[in-house]
Amino acid sequence: LTHKKIIEAELFSFGIRINQTAPNVKVVKKESGGIDYQEMCAQTKGMNSEVCRVVLKEFKISCATIILREDITVDQFIDVIEGNRAYLPVLYVFNKIDALTIEELDILDQMPNYVPISSQHEWNLEELMEEIWERCNMMRIYTKPRGQVPDYDEPVILHSEGNPTVEEFCNRIHRSLMDSFSHAWVWGKSAKHQPQRCGREHRLMDEDVVSIVKKAG
C-alpha cells in the first residue's frame, strides 16, 4: 500500500487525476465586466465567490463568467483553471496474493478499484480480464460463418457504450459488407429467442454470436 500511495502522489504531481471525472465547471474568459460567479448547486467543500476571486487573481484573470454545476473543492477549481489535467480510470492489480494472510486480504478487500491476483499460480486472472473489459467499455462479438461453428478465438471488438448495432458490427469487419446485407441471425443476451432474425438496427450485447446473411443474387 505504501508503493500505491507513492505512485498516486507522483501521478497527481504530473496533473493526472485517477478515477475522477473533470469537474462540471464552465469558465468563460471575457474582455470586460469583472467576475460573474454563479452556483448551480450548494457548495459545501470550500468554494464561494470570494475564494473564486482570489484564485482567479492568482492566475491574472480579472474578467470571466464562472458557473459551478457541481459541488467541488478549491483544488478541483484550480485544476479547471489550469486546464491541463488528465482524468484517467485506474485499476490496481495486486500480485502475489498467495503470500498474503487472510487478514491482509481483508484489508485489501476494503479498497475500491482493485483486483488481487497471483501470476505464479494464475489465480484470479479471469476476474482481472473481465474487470479490464468492463472498465474499457469494450465487448466481444463472435462471428458465425454459415453452416459452421462460431469463431470463439478471434472475436470482433467493439465499444459497448450505447450498445453497438448490427450495422456497426458489419462496418467493423468491412465497410462494403452492408452493401450486400440482408439480415443477421443473432444468438446471445440481446436476442429474444435463440437465434433471432435481426436487421441492421438491432443492438448487440457482450459475447453475442452473429451470422450475417447476404442478399440473394
Side-chain angles (χ1 to χ4, degrees), residues 8 29 79 109 117:
E8 289 175 342
K29 296 179 182 179
D79 285 346
D109 204 39
I117 68 166

Side-chain angles (χ1 to χ4, degrees), residues 139 141 143 156-178 181 184 199-205 210 212:
M139 57 191 289
I141 305 297
T143 57
V156 176
I157 307 301
L158 298 168
H159 286 284
S160 63
E161 292 184 36
N163 289 80
T165 62
V166 169
E167 182 173 0
E168 290 171 313
F169 165 76
C170 291
N171 288 336
R172 186 72 175 84
I173 297 174
H174 199 283
R175 286 287 179 181
S176 66
L177 192 55
M178 288 306 300
F181 176 84
R200 65 178 64 199
E201 297 301 322
H202 177 80
R203 295 199 172 274
L204 301 168
M205 299 179 71
V210 179
I212 302 299

Side-chain angles (χ1 to χ4, degrees), residues 17-207:
R17 305 294 180 255
I18 60 176
N19 294 323
Q20 296 181 33
T21 56
N24 192 356
V25 176
K26 185 176 182 179
V27 177
V28 180
K29 296 179 182 179
K30 303 182 297 184
E31 294 296 327
S32 61
I35 302 300
D36 177 18
Y37 175 82
Q38 303 176 34
E39 295 179 358
M40 298 294 103
C41 62
Q43 297 298 310
T44 65
K45 300 176 181 178
M47 277 302 298
N48 55 52
S49 59
E50 185 57 34
V51 171
C52 173
R53 285 175 169 79
V54 170
V55 171
L56 293 179
K57 186 177 180 180
E58 288 293 320
F59 287 90
K60 295 180 173 56
I61 299 174
S62 58
C63 298
T65 296
I66 309 297
I67 304 175
L68 307 186
R69 294 194 174 97
E70 68 171 291
D71 191 8
I72 64 170
T73 65
V74 178
D75 285 340
Q76 286 178 302
F77 182 62
I78 293 173
D79 285 346
V80 173
I81 300 301
E82 289 274 13
N84 58 358
R85 305 302 192 238
Y87 298 87
L88 302 176
V90 169
L91 179 65
Y92 298 98
V93 181
F94 290 96
N95 194 19
K96 299 183 179 180
I97 59 171
D98 51 301
L100 300 180
T101 65
I102 296 297
E103 290 76 14
E104 290 170 327
L105 284 174
D106 287 339
I107 293 173
L108 287 179
D109 204 39
Q110 298 173 21
M111 291 176 46
N113 306 306
Y114 97 103
V115 175
I117 68 166
S118 170
S119 57
Q120 180 180 358
H121 299 289
E122 299 186 354
W123 293 351
N124 223 29
L125 298 185
E126 284 296 323
E127 181 182 340
L128 174 60
M129 290 298 298
E130 289 298 326
E131 194 71 25
I132 292 173
W133 276 109
E134 182 177 338
R135 287 172 180 270
C136 289
N137 292 319
M138 304 189 79
M139 57 191 289
R140 297 148 290 190
I141 305 297
Y142 302 106
T143 57
K144 183 184 182 302
R146 188 175 180 179
Q148 301 180 37
V149 298
D151 181 3
Y152 291 111
D153 293 327
E154 296 186 11
V156 176
I157 307 301
L158 298 168
H159 286 284
S160 63
E161 292 184 36
N163 289 80
T165 62
V166 169
E167 182 173 0
E168 290 171 313
F169 165 76
C170 291
N171 288 336
R172 186 72 175 84
I173 297 174
H174 199 283
R175 286 287 179 181
S176 66
L177 192 55
M178 288 306 300
D179 296 338
S180 58
F181 176 84
S182 171
H183 60 276
W185 292 105
V186 179
W187 293 257
K189 291 181 285 186
S190 74
K192 295 180 180 179
H193 42 81
Q194 309 295 325
Q196 178 183 347
R197 177 172 171 156
C198 302
R200 65 178 64 199
E201 297 301 322
H202 177 80
R203 295 199 172 274
L204 301 168
M205 299 179 71
D206 189 32
E207 296 192 283

